Amino acid sequence: MCGIVGYFGKRKASDILVDGLRRLEYRGYDSAGIACVYDGSIDVVKNPGKIRALRERVQQSPLKSIKNATVGIGHTRWATHGQPNEVNAHPHQDVSGHFAMVHNGIIENYKAIRSGLAKHGIECVSETDSEVLVQLIAFCYKGNLEEAVSEALKQVKGTYGIVVMSDHEPDKLVAARCGSPIVLGLGRNETLVASDASAIMPHTRDAVYLEDFDMAVITADGMEMFDLQRAPVNREVMAMDWDAGAAEKGEYAHFMLKEIYEQPSAIRNAIRGRLDFEMGTAVLSGLDFSPRDAAMINRVLVVGCGTSMHAGMVGEYAIEEMAGILAEVEQAAEFRYRNPIITPSDLVVAISQSGETADTLAAVREAKNKGAVVAGICNVVGSTIARETGRGVYLHAGPEIGVASTKAFTCQVSVMLMMALKIARTRRMPLNDGEVLGRWIERMPELVEKVLEQNDAIKAVAQKYAKCDNAFFIGRGYLFPVALEGALKLKEISYIHAEGYHAAELKHGPIALLQKNTPVIALLNDVPGKDKTLGNAEECKARNAPVIAVVSEGDEKIADEFSDVIVVPDCPPCITPVPTAVALQLLAYHIAAARGCEIDQPRNLAKSVTVE
Ligand code: F6R
């Protein structure tokens, strides 16, 4: 979704801002802009469309602020209120032009603030909710920028991550957050501010994450933090352990392909040091409950959205099967509003790559409020969900830039399996079974490598079906969530209408849609119920739908029955989601590539969904 970058230092601000915005492109956006302050005035350059276009305009700009300033702010906008056009793009300015601001989040009471300002003759020019905030800050200004910001923010309902500047105080940037992340990067003689660490990683490794209702005032003397009452606050400086190169595409055509290929190493990182073969268990230090505490857990409730929720479903199956306790998965967005029943013996697990998804965060807060033990499974270190859950497990998958989640999914499944193993060993799982499962988890990177070796074969199947308009994915048991995930991957990057169904559900309605150009991707690997799924695939074939069979290596008997076959390594049912998902990621990728789609930035999508 929207992205923020700010720079205060000694280097040319416009270069750093545009480069930072380029690094945030993956989040999804439809317009972009920068504002710089120099020699007593602020200049803004912004446009709908891509950063490429913004970069050209900035490079050709005769404006002296854009050419010379060493202080500035930038933004990529993902439209919520109003079309993606130049007026609605950020940075926004107040009517006098003395203030400029970038904003992520939603000002819920913007209409009331706008009418209040209108009574004082202040008319907004854009359709956005954001512009009212900079107008309000200017209205509250009495000679001190941070005072004006805190006064204005006290009147705001909703969420915000903002950076503000004014030519009245050109040697200052003010940032603030409530519900929308802001990270400050502390460099040598410079301070950066962003909504996402990837924008500042090339410049510094020392990061400070603002908490809700924090404000940061950045000047040549460094950075100070306050709450909205202007009382000083202290936040820990954290070291960002991601390598800046990890956020570059390198030799790959797309980030998504790079991240698909990174999965063996990402999974190795996710499981490194976390398997104890002697005790046949997993060591997840972030889940700091003792075996006795673990034995008290009566139910595990996993909340998440999209791909993360699909990984949670694999976890649900594994926890019930191995630990013999009730496990449920719920869409995070539903959890909060349906007043769920939570008891103190429930473990609520929030699963989120970004750690910033608004619905998942809201579910975390609701679960905490109801007294549950809450844990997070996140990739982004220091993200809001990671911090608010307090305990949990990081994926260590490295930055995921492609909007379509790939390596996060397989790492999430790896972590969920280790969590299931840890809980199961405090219950009914014998040591020997625990060790066997640990060994299979350890082998997952190798299984993924075997799937990646089949890239050309999968690409050939993909090219055959690249022109279809609809597709179905079917699976059972551990492969049901993978069918959902395969369909999600295909639809989001290729724009083919794709649905994932439990194999048995197809004949309860969707089978009516099958035609000769509607492929059915049938997950026929060796899991319980395979024969029944085989029967369902035959039903599809009998209705002239082409079936792409995903089968376990060595299962030639099935392979002979279908014209298109993708082979994945044979492994126990709970492990199958990982290699199978990788095969489906490649299938979706090659179909989208053959259709000429913008794979890393699919239309309308955002990497981190920070609005409910
Ligand atoms: C799909 C995808 C999304 C995310 C969802 C949750 O490829 O990436 O469905 O999984 O928006 O995001 P996180 O995991 O950041 O909470």
Side-chain angles (χ1 to χ4, degrees), residues 332-349:
E334 192 60 11
F335 180 84
R336 182 186 191 188
Y337 293 105
R338 66 173 191 87
N339 195 18
I341 297 165
I342 300 286
T343 68
S345 56
D346 285 337
L347 170 65
V348 174
V349 178

mmCIF file of all heavy atoms in Angstrom, residues 332-349:
data_model
loop_
_atom_site.group_PDB
_atom_site.id
_atom_site.type_symbol
_atom_site.label_atom_id
_atom_site.label_comp_id
_atom_site.label_asym_id
_atom_site.label_seq_id
_atom_site.Cartn_x
_atom_site.Cartn_y
_atom_site.Cartn_z
ATOM 1 N N ALA A 332 -8.690 -13.319 9.840
ATOM 2 C CA ALA A 332 -8.482 -12.307 10.878
ATOM 3 C C ALA A 332 -9.587 -11.254 10.847
ATOM 4 O O ALA A 332 -10.036 -10.777 11.893
ATOM 5 C CB ALA A 332 -7.116 -11.667 10.697
ATOM 6 N N ALA A 333 -10.050 -10.903 9.645
ATOM 7 C CA ALA A 333 -11.047 -9.837 9.521
ATOM 8 C C ALA A 333 -12.361 -10.225 10.192
ATOM 9 O O ALA A 333 -13.107 -9.361 10.659
ATOM 10 C CB ALA A 333 -11.292 -9.535 8.048
ATOM 11 N N GLU A 334 -12.658 -11.520 10.233
ATOM 12 C CA GLU A 334 -13.912 -11.980 10.804
ATOM 13 C C GLU A 334 -13.798 -12.087 12.328
ATOM 14 O O GLU A 334 -14.733 -11.818 13.059
ATOM 15 C CB GLU A 334 -14.219 -13.365 10.192
ATOM 16 C CG GLU A 334 -15.590 -13.898 10.439
ATOM 17 C CD GLU A 334 -16.714 -13.020 9.887
ATOM 18 O OE1 GLU A 334 -16.435 -12.078 9.129
ATOM 19 O OE2 GLU A 334 -17.861 -13.276 10.263
ATOM 20 N N PHE A 335 -12.615 -12.461 12.763
ATOM 21 C CA PHE A 335 -12.373 -12.747 14.176
ATOM 22 C C PHE A 335 -12.801 -11.598 15.078
ATOM 23 O O PHE A 335 -13.496 -11.766 16.065
ATOM 24 C CB PHE A 335 -10.882 -13.045 14.358
ATOM 25 C CG PHE A 335 -10.482 -13.364 15.764
ATOM 26 C CD1 PHE A 335 -10.616 -14.646 16.260
ATOM 27 C CD2 PHE A 335 -9.961 -12.387 16.593
ATOM 28 C CE1 PHE A 335 -10.246 -14.938 17.557
ATOM 29 C CE2 PHE A 335 -9.587 -12.674 17.881
ATOM 30 C CZ PHE A 335 -9.728 -13.956 18.368
ATOM 31 N N ARG A 336 -12.387 -10.401 14.668
ATOM 32 C CA ARG A 336 -12.585 -9.270 15.573
ATOM 33 C C ARG A 336 -14.054 -8.930 15.794
ATOM 34 O O ARG A 336 -14.472 -8.587 16.888
ATOM 35 C CB ARG A 336 -11.878 -8.062 14.983
ATOM 36 C CG ARG A 336 -11.971 -6.859 15.856
ATOM 37 C CD ARG A 336 -11.386 -5.691 15.130
ATOM 38 N NE ARG A 336 -11.224 -4.575 16.024
ATOM 39 C CZ ARG A 336 -10.882 -3.375 15.607
ATOM 40 N NH1 ARG A 336 -10.633 -3.167 14.340
ATOM 41 N NH2 ARG A 336 -10.760 -2.393 16.445
ATOM 42 N N TYR A 337 -14.827 -9.029 14.726
ATOM 43 C CA TYR A 337 -16.171 -8.463 14.807
ATOM 44 C C TYR A 337 -17.259 -9.459 15.197
ATOM 45 O O TYR A 337 -18.389 -9.081 15.405
ATOM 46 C CB TYR A 337 -16.515 -7.775 13.477
ATOM 47 C CG TYR A 337 -15.648 -6.560 13.280
ATOM 48 C CD1 TYR A 337 -14.588 -6.575 12.372
ATOM 49 C CD2 TYR A 337 -15.836 -5.417 14.050
ATOM 50 C CE1 TYR A 337 -13.763 -5.477 12.227
ATOM 51 C CE2 TYR A 337 -15.008 -4.311 13.910
ATOM 52 C CZ TYR A 337 -13.981 -4.347 13.000
ATOM 53 O OH TYR A 337 -13.167 -3.266 12.864
ATOM 54 N N ARG A 338 -16.894 -10.750 15.278
ATOM 55 C CA ARG A 338 -17.989 -11.665 15.601
ATOM 56 C C ARG A 338 -17.964 -12.073 17.077
ATOM 57 O O ARG A 338 -18.577 -13.038 17.471
ATOM 58 C CB ARG A 338 -17.979 -12.879 14.683
ATOM 59 C CG ARG A 338 -16.811 -13.751 14.859
ATOM 60 C CD ARG A 338 -16.863 -15.026 14.101
ATOM 61 N NE ARG A 338 -15.779 -15.851 14.593
ATOM 62 C CZ ARG A 338 -15.873 -16.642 15.636
ATOM 63 N NH1 ARG A 338 -16.999 -16.756 16.284
ATOM 64 N NH2 ARG A 338 -14.827 -17.326 16.046
ATOM 65 N N ASN A 339 -17.223 -11.342 17.860
ATOM 66 C CA ASN A 339 -17.181 -11.558 19.303
ATOM 67 C C ASN A 339 -16.861 -13.014 19.644
ATOM 68 O O ASN A 339 -17.670 -13.720 20.253
ATOM 69 C CB ASN A 339 -18.529 -11.143 19.914
ATOM 70 C CG ASN A 339 -18.415 -10.988 21.414
ATOM 71 O OD1 ASN A 339 -17.311 -10.862 21.943
ATOM 72 N ND2 ASN A 339 -19.538 -11.018 22.105
ATOM 73 N N PRO A 340 -15.682 -13.481 19.250
ATOM 74 C CA PRO A 340 -15.347 -14.896 19.420
ATOM 75 C C PRO A 340 -15.217 -15.296 20.886
ATOM 76 O O PRO A 340 -14.916 -14.464 21.740
ATOM 77 C CB PRO A 340 -13.986 -15.009 18.729
ATOM 78 C CG PRO A 340 -13.419 -13.650 18.780
ATOM 79 C CD PRO A 340 -14.574 -12.700 18.708
ATOM 80 N N ILE A 341 -15.429 -16.581 21.133
ATOM 81 C CA ILE A 341 -15.273 -17.083 22.507
ATOM 82 C C ILE A 341 -13.803 -17.446 22.696
ATOM 83 O O ILE A 341 -13.246 -18.258 21.954
ATOM 84 C CB ILE A 341 -16.157 -18.318 22.728
ATOM 85 C CG1 ILE A 341 -17.623 -17.920 22.564
ATOM 86 C CG2 ILE A 341 -15.899 -18.949 24.097
ATOM 87 C CD1 ILE A 341 -18.557 -19.076 22.402
ATOM 88 N N ILE A 342 -13.186 -16.811 23.673
ATOM 89 C CA ILE A 342 -11.761 -17.036 23.939
ATOM 90 C C ILE A 342 -11.624 -17.361 25.419
ATOM 91 O O ILE A 342 -12.262 -16.723 26.253
ATOM 92 C CB ILE A 342 -10.947 -15.746 23.664
ATOM 93 C CG1 ILE A 342 -11.081 -15.286 22.213
ATOM 94 C CG2 ILE A 342 -9.479 -15.892 24.038
ATOM 95 C CD1 ILE A 342 -10.328 -16.124 21.234
ATOM 96 N N THR A 343 -10.785 -18.353 25.732
ATOM 97 C CA THR A 343 -10.544 -18.663 27.149
ATOM 98 C C THR A 343 -9.043 -18.529 27.428
ATOM 99 O O THR A 343 -8.242 -18.559 26.489
ATOM 100 C CB THR A 343 -10.983 -20.112 27.472
ATOM 101 O OG1 THR A 343 -10.096 -20.990 26.789
ATOM 102 C CG2 THR A 343 -12.408 -20.390 27.042
ATOM 103 N N PRO A 344 -8.657 -18.428 28.693
ATOM 104 C CA PRO A 344 -7.229 -18.251 29.006
ATOM 105 C C PRO A 344 -6.378 -19.454 28.596
ATOM 106 O O PRO A 344 -5.161 -19.350 28.501
ATOM 107 C CB PRO A 344 -7.216 -18.078 30.529
ATOM 108 C CG PRO A 344 -8.609 -17.704 30.898
ATOM 109 C CD PRO A 344 -9.514 -18.299 29.877
ATOM 110 N N SER A 345 -6.998 -20.593 28.324
ATOM 111 C CA SER A 345 -6.187 -21.737 27.881
ATOM 112 C C SER A 345 -6.103 -21.813 26.360
ATOM 113 O O SER A 345 -5.653 -22.806 25.800
ATOM 114 C CB SER A 345 -6.758 -23.037 28.452
ATOM 115 O OG SER A 345 -8.101 -23.152 28.066
ATOM 116 N N ASP A 346 -6.557 -20.751 25.674
ATOM 117 C CA ASP A 346 -6.412 -20.701 24.210
ATOM 118 C C ASP A 346 -5.079 -20.061 23.849
ATOM 119 O O ASP A 346 -4.696 -19.048 24.438
ATOM 120 C CB ASP A 346 -7.515 -19.821 23.597
ATOM 121 C CG ASP A 346 -8.857 -20.521 23.586
ATOM 122 O OD1 ASP A 346 -8.873 -21.766 23.624
ATOM 123 O OD2 ASP A 346 -9.884 -19.815 23.556
ATOM 124 N N LEU A 347 -4.428 -20.644 22.856
ATOM 125 C CA LEU A 347 -3.250 -19.986 22.278
ATOM 126 C C LEU A 347 -3.693 -19.423 20.937
ATOM 127 O O LEU A 347 -4.125 -20.164 20.053
ATOM 128 C CB LEU A 347 -2.111 -21.007 22.075
ATOM 129 C CG LEU A 347 -0.915 -20.507 21.254
ATOM 130 C CD1 LEU A 347 -0.179 -19.381 21.978
ATOM 131 C CD2 LEU A 347 0.058 -21.646 20.955
ATOM 132 N N VAL A 348 -3.619 -18.106 20.794
ATOM 133 C CA VAL A 348 -3.968 -17.477 19.519
ATOM 134 C C VAL A 348 -2.663 -17.173 18.783
ATOM 135 O O VAL A 348 -1.770 -16.528 19.333
ATOM 136 C CB VAL A 348 -4.801 -16.189 19.733
ATOM 137 C CG1 VAL A 348 -5.024 -15.461 18.415
ATOM 138 C CG2 VAL A 348 -6.140 -16.545 20.375
ATOM 139 N N VAL A 349 -2.561 -17.686 17.560
ATOM 140 C CA VAL A 349 -1.349 -17.480 16.768
ATOM 141 C C VAL A 349 -1.695 -16.565 15.594
ATOM 142 O O VAL A 349 -2.537 -16.902 14.763
ATOM 143 C CB VAL A 349 -0.795 -18.828 16.237
ATOM 144 C CG1 VAL A 349 0.443 -18.597 15.380
ATOM 145 C CG2 VAL A 349 -0.481 -19.765 17.398
#
